[in-house]
Amino acid sequence: MGRSVADLRASGEDAGRAVEDVLEDHSLTLAVTKTVAISLLLPADSPRSGGESAEHVRMLAESDAELPPIVVHRPTMRVIDGMHRLRAAALRGDTGIEARLYDGTPEDAFVFAVRLNTSHGLPLSAQERSRAAARIMTTHPQWSDRRIALVAGLSAKTVGAIRRRRAGELPQPLTRIGHDGRARPVNGAAGRRRAAEVLAEKPGASLREVAELAGVSPGTVRDVRDRLRRGDDPVPTGRRTGGGGRTAGAPPGWGGDAPGSTVRRDVPRRTLQRDYESILRTLRKDPSLRFTEAGRNVLRLLDTRALFVEEQEGLISGLPGHCMPMLSDAARECANAWIEFAKRLDRLERAQYPQARTRAALREPGAAFEERPVAG
């Protein structure tokens, strides 16, 4: 069915707005237009499989609506968006047409064309959008499913299904880049295991350095480091791939005799099963601590820490924002002081009780992992 002049004028306005939206999305500097000779332009590398609609071209040519600028890839002079407008201008007898010139790569130009064609004008069919998504993941394999879906006008689930069907043909990067520009690991568990390996190889590296090497966030590295120091698996239970024995890809020494086990083979199970509160209860009952000044002082300090864990949410919500940076620094210094205190205890324990060396080594950052039988 034909479209009215009013519809065509509205379509032209939509095209202009769509270009502005995509310019903003992609940070492209195409605000300036110039008149380009029609004879210099090449047909679009278009996601449309059926070419242009002759009826749509004729109605554009016969309307009195001003045609919005087309978009042209400057290096090749190939039309990115606006073939119907170009055909209509030629049908009117024009020799030139207003155009925005784009200087990106041909691959990015195709992405730009898809984004524009899904934002305005004659809609792409579902098959055309799926073919466009498949092509984009070939030229931009590092892009996330959601980012490609946003460009192609599909759901992320559909893009994921296309990627799985073509898994053998596509590169498999360890991380993918989302629409926000942030890189995220394809497999969160694999990223955590890589972080554990980097921490073992480079114990002196900063959180940010490890994060960059492992392809995860600094916050994830901090959590992995803390889990390693506690003797836990670097991958939380709910994120593991399952399977018998050691978690797939985990450093040697991880995994117990059951699927998804968090037991370190070089650490007695009873040590891992004790939580902080039960340890503290045991210490309070020890006369050698209760009846010495140094023991009582340490117990009082540990009691303060236990109360803080229970109440920290309420404390944080009531703190003024301008004090948070200094409070964070102070808390971090307190934590570092406790870590140093624990290291000194470990060193003393190793010197006095050689059989405790393995357990103490667990708490040292970057300690080597050894394969040992599970303590029964």
Side-chain angles (χ1 to χ4, degrees):
M1 183 178 292
R3 302 173 70 188
S4 68
V5 171
D7 289 339
L8 293 172
R9 182 177 288 109
S11 175
E13 293 171 354
D14 289 344
R17 283 195 297 270
V19 172
E20 296 298 337
D21 290 343
V22 176
L23 295 183
E24 183 178 353
D25 288 347
H26 291 266
S27 300
L28 301 174
T29 55
L30 302 177
V32 178
T33 64
K34 64 178 296 184
T35 302
V36 177
I38 291 177
S39 61
L40 296 177
L41 298 174
L42 297 175
D45 179 13
S46 173
R48 298 185 188 279
S49 56
E52 296 80 48
S53 165
E55 181 186 6
H56 190 57
V57 170
R58 179 182 57 80
M59 294 193 69
L60 282 173
E62 293 176 354
S63 75
D64 60 355
E66 182 179 353
L67 299 175
I70 64 174
V71 181
V72 176
H73 186 225
R74 192 199 305 262
T76 62
M77 294 306 289
R78 191 174 292 280
V79 175
I80 292 176
D81 179 66
M83 279 302 299
H84 286 100
R85 282 165 273 160
L86 177 63
R87 300 294 190 208
L91 191 58
R92 287 176 175 178
D94 299 339
T95 58
I97 188 170
E98 288 296 303
R100 300 174 189 267
L101 302 180
Y102 172 60
D103 291 312
T105 65
E107 293 78 14
D108 286 341
F110 179 77
V111 172
F112 196 9
V114 174
R115 183 72 176 93
L116 287 169
N117 276 278
T118 56
S119 303
H120 73 92
L122 295 178
L124 297 174
S125 68
Q127 189 176 28
E128 289 170 336
R129 284 180 275 126
S130 294
R131 278 200 297 266
R135 179 170 167 180
I136 292 171
M137 68 178 60
T138 300
T139 59
H140 297 73
Q142 74 279 15
W143 281 14
S144 69
D145 292 346
R146 192 172 300 279
R147 182 169 185 173
I148 295 174
L150 183 64
V151 171
L154 297 168
S155 70
K157 183 177 179 181
T158 299
V159 173
I162 295 172
R163 196 191 293 271
R164 286 191 294 275
R165 287 198 298 269
R166 305 190 61 209
E169 310 168 26
L170 299 172
Q172 300 297 325
L174 298 177
T175 60
R176 291 188 190 147
I177 302 172
H179 183 62
D180 59 2
R182 294 178 59 189
R184 297 175 176 84
V186 175
N187 184 324
R192 283 175 166 269
R193 288 192 287 270
R194 285 195 301 278
E197 292 167 1
V198 174
L199 285 168
E201 295 169 3
K202 300 177 179 293
S206 68
L207 295 179
R208 194 168 298 280
E209 289 172 329
V210 175
E212 186 174 346
L213 291 170
V216 296
S217 70
T220 298
V221 176
R222 181 183 293 108
D223 183 68
V224 168
R225 184 188 62 187
D226 291 344
R227 295 180 69 84
L228 292 175
R229 287 176 176 173
R230 293 196 304 268
D232 295 342
D233 193 299
V235 183
T237 304
R239 302 184 189 179
R240 292 177 204 147
T241 56
R246 184 167 57 92
T247 305
W254 289 102
D257 54 353
S261 172
T262 62
V263 177
R264 274 288 301 269
R265 293 178 180 174
D266 53 354
V267 182
R269 289 183 180 178
R270 59 182 177 78
T271 302
L272 296 176
Q273 291 170 349
R274 288 180 179 176
D275 58 15
Y276 180 82
E277 286 74 19
S278 65
I279 292 174
L280 194 55
R281 282 195 297 271
T282 301
L283 291 174
R284 290 194 193 106
K285 296 175 184 178
D286 192 318
S288 60
L289 291 175
R290 291 171 57 194
F291 300 119
T292 62
E293 183 175 356
R296 287 194 297 270
N297 287 337
V298 169
L299 289 175
R300 276 197 295 271
L301 290 170
L302 292 173
D303 270 329
T304 302
R305 185 268 183 193
L307 291 172
F308 174 72
V309 168
E310 297 170 1
E311 299 173 356
Q312 61 177 302
E313 288 301 325
L315 290 172
I316 290 173
S317 63
L319 294 175
H322 69 279
C323 291
M324 287 186 178
M326 288 186 291
L327 288 169
S328 174
D329 289 340
R332 191 170 288 107
E333 287 302 315
C334 288
N336 289 336
W338 275 114
I339 290 171
E340 182 58 29
F341 182 75
K343 288 179 179 178
R344 293 184 65 180
L345 291 177
D346 286 340
R347 288 194 291 269
L348 184 61
E349 181 183 39
R350 283 197 297 267
Q352 295 182 355
Y353 306 100
Q355 70 273 19
R357 241 171 240 171
T358 299
R359 185 179 68 80
L362 170 66
R363 301 195 185 104
E364 294 292 337
F369 298 113
E370 294 183 29
E371 193 77 17
R372 293 177 182 268
V374 177

